[in-house]
């Protein structure tokens, strides 16, 4: 005698999507400080990305956008009047912009949800959201790389009197008092470089502890230190800013109107194309506004496919001619910086700083 065959099966709850779900921490975003810094400076009405440049980059698919610039000159100033014909002139250049393409997508096999606790909506949300967050992390990485590739390389004696330099980065000692004093020196460093305005700062999260210390110092025995941050703009933190060996923190001081970012979509998605009719398209090129990224091109296709081998583990080996849908999002990205006619010999308003590990 046995009642084994009538044992109850495992009790299963309904899948809970979104905040509060048991797996909600599996789909958490990061801090995208460099990306957000580029967005801020791009949106500035006095930024380097004006409507003319933005429009031309957005419409530049298959073409090259050129911006005319004039090199810096160091004219000779005399002290004697002369009847000689004056000499001198200008050097002009054309700056061209190159886009980098970013895509992500996934398939959708609706028949596999026939007997599953995960719904089509659950699947689509998770697949899309995971890729959206990964795309934002990649954009943030590209923004940090762009800052590092274009950081200031000019460190004459008048700058080294503040801090030493290594690998085109100012080296700030690691003890806390010196680290905090550094923020008080930012305005002086920029003035020595003839750079005006308050720079935005993007840093790894560790350095933000000092910022909070400064902001909250008014309530401590150290007195009110909030004035120390009067020389800075907005602070952004990013896990893509990597301090590197021997450093506790790294940051970039990015002068106002120093950088920008413009995105572009392909002409098919921009124009909107359908194969198969609007009621039942089998191919469709359209656009979608994606949170945190902006307008992206979306390519959709529907097809028939043998998925029996792939889905055999789900007891769906009978899906030998099932419907398969495919979604692909894409965008072209331009990272823009202010022009510098002499990278090795003129100051540039992207200044890398490394805070050393305390001894």
């Amino acid at each position: 005698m046995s009642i084994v065959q009538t044992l109850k099966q495992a009790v299963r709850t309904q899948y809970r999507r979104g905040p509060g779900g048991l797996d909600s921490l599996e789909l958490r975003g990061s801090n995208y400080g460099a990306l957000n810094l580029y967005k801020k400076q791009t949106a500035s009405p006095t930024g380097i990305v004006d409507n003319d440049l933005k429009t031309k980059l957005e419409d530049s698919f298959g073409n090259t956008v050129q911006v005319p610039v004039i090199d810096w000159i160091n004219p000779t100033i005399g002290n004697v009047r002369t009847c000689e014909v004056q000499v001198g002139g200008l050097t002009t250049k054309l700056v061209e912009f190159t886009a980098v393409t970013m895509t992500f997508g996934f398939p959708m096999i609706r028949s596999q949800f026939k007997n599953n606790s995960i719904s089509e909506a659950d699947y689509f949300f998770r697949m899309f959201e995971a890729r959206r967050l990964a795309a934002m992390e990649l954009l943030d990485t590209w923004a940090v790389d762009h800052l590092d590739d274009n950081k200031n390389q000019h460190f004459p004696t008048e700058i080294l009197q503040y801090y030493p330099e290594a690998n085109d980065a100012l080296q700030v000692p690691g003890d806390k008092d010196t680290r905090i004093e550094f923020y008080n020196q930012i305005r002086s460093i920029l003035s020595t470089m003839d750079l005006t305005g308050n720079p935005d700062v993007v840093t790894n999260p560790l350095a933000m502890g000092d910022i909070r210390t400064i902001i909250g110092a008014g309530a401590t025995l150290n007195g009110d230190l909030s004035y120390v941050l009067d020389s800075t703009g907005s602070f952004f933190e990013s896990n893509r800013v990597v301090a590197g060996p021997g450093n506790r923190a790294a940051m970039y001081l990015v002068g106002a109107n120093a950088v920008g970012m413009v995105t572009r979509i392909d002409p098919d998605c921009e124009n909107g194309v359908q194969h198969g009719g609007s009621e039942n398209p089998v191919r469709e090129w359209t656009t979608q506004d994606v949170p945190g990224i902006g307008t992206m091109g979306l390519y959709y296709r529907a097809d028939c496919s043998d998925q029996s081998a792939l889905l055999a583990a789900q007891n769906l080996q009978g899906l030998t001619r099932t419907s398969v849908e495919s979604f692909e999002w894409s965008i072209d990205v331009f990272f823009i910086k202010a022009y510098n006619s002499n990278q090795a010999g003129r100051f540039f308003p992207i200044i890398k700083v490394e805070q050393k590990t305390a001894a």
Side-chain angles (χ1 to χ4, degrees):
M1 290 176 38
S2 173
I3 59 172
V4 171
Q5 294 190 24
T6 55
L7 286 174
K8 289 185 177 181
Q9 299 299 307
V11 178
R12 183 177 297 177
T13 66
Q14 182 176 357
Y15 178 72
R16 184 180 175 186
R17 184 174 75 232
L22 196 62
D23 62 355
S24 58
L25 290 181
E26 295 297 302
L27 198 66
R28 61 185 184 271
S30 184
N31 41 31
Y32 312 104
L35 174 60
N36 291 331
L37 186 153
Y38 273 72
K39 289 180 180 179
K40 178 198 172 187
Q41 294 209 358
T42 301
S44 171
T46 59
I48 58 176
V49 181
D50 61 6
N51 287 333
D52 184 39
L53 176 58
K54 182 175 183 293
T55 299
K56 285 182 168 58
L57 289 175
E58 290 173 339
D59 296 338
S60 65
F61 203 95
N63 208 335
T64 300
V65 175
Q66 298 177 330
V67 175
V69 294
I70 301 174
D71 282 358
W72 174 78
I73 57 175
N74 186 18
T76 300
I77 306 301
N79 59 3
V80 177
R81 296 180 183 88
T82 164
C83 62
E84 299 296 326
V85 175
Q86 296 295 299
V87 296
L90 296 174
T91 300
T92 63
K93 303 279 180 61
L94 289 174
V95 177
E96 295 186 355
F97 298 93
T98 302
V100 59
T101 300
M102 181 182 71
T103 68
F104 61 84
F106 54 86
M108 187 83 170
I109 306 170
R110 299 188 186 272
S111 296
Q112 68 177 319
F113 304 102
K114 181 70 174 178
N115 184 33
N116 203 292
S117 295
I118 302 297
S119 69
E120 294 179 25
D122 295 331
Y123 176 92
F124 191 96
F125 171 81
R126 193 57 173 262
M127 294 289 280
F128 174 77
E129 192 66 4
R131 286 155 178 78
R132 183 184 73 86
L133 295 177
M136 289 184 64
E137 184 171 325
L138 180 58
L139 288 172
D140 193 60
T141 298
W142 286 346
V144 172
D145 290 344
H146 188 253
L147 291 175
D148 199 71
D149 289 343
N150 296 286
K151 61 184 178 291
N152 177 66
Q153 299 179 11
H154 185 46
F155 292 93
T157 303
E158 55 265 34
I159 298 301
L160 299 180
Q161 66 183 332
Y162 293 99
Y163 302 99
E165 169 269 333
N167 299 317
D168 295 328
L170 292 176
Q171 305 293 297
V172 176
D175 63 281
K176 189 168 186 178
D177 289 342
T178 305
R179 297 196 318 258
I180 291 179
E181 174 60 19
F182 159 74
Y183 296 98
N184 189 42
Q185 296 294 338
I186 289 177
R187 180 70 270 150
S188 297
I189 293 171
L190 295 182
S191 294
T192 304
M193 293 179 165
D194 288 327
L195 298 174
T196 59
N198 295 338
D200 294 319
V201 182
V202 59
T203 180
N204 60 327
L206 185 60
M208 291 303 297
D210 289 343
I211 306 304
R212 290 186 288 270
T213 296
I214 295 170
I215 293 174
T220 73
L221 295 177
N222 294 326
D224 187 357
L225 295 178
S226 59
Y227 72 91
V228 172
L229 300 182
D230 290 344
S231 300
T232 59
S234 300
F235 282 89
F236 301 87
E237 55 183 307
S238 168
N239 286 330
R240 265 57 62 190
V241 177
V242 179
N247 303 318
R248 69 179 300 275
M251 66 186 67
Y252 298 88
L253 312 179
V254 186
N257 309 325
V259 296
M261 184 180 73
V262 176
T263 59
R264 179 185 70 188
I265 58 177
D266 61 284
D268 291 290
C269 288
E270 185 176 30
N271 295 333
V273 181
Q274 289 179 333
H275 294 176
S278 59
E279 296 298 321
N280 188 30
V282 293
R283 301 284 192 280
E284 185 175 22
W285 293 258
T286 185
T287 61
Q288 181 179 357
D289 289 331
V290 177
I293 299 177
T295 302
M296 300 188 71
L298 172 57
Y299 170 59
Y300 167 84
R301 64 172 292 180
D303 213 328
C304 172
S305 176
D306 182 354
Q307 296 292 319
S308 57
L310 180 65
L311 299 178
Q314 298 175 225
N315 293 326
L316 296 176
Q317 55 269 23
L319 295 181
T320 56
R321 54 155 179 77
T322 193
S323 172
V324 177
E325 297 167 87
S326 173
F327 303 83
E328 182 191 72
W329 290 261
S330 67
I331 199 170
D332 295 335
V333 186
F334 295 92
F335 287 96
I336 303 165
K337 68 177 180 69
Y339 177 67
N340 184 4
S341 59
N342 184 359
Q343 194 169 13
R346 282 184 57 76
F347 294 120
F348 193 66
I350 299 176
I351 305 162
K352 186 174 183 179
V353 178
E354 293 177 336
Q355 296 178 346
K356 310 308 292 182
T357 302

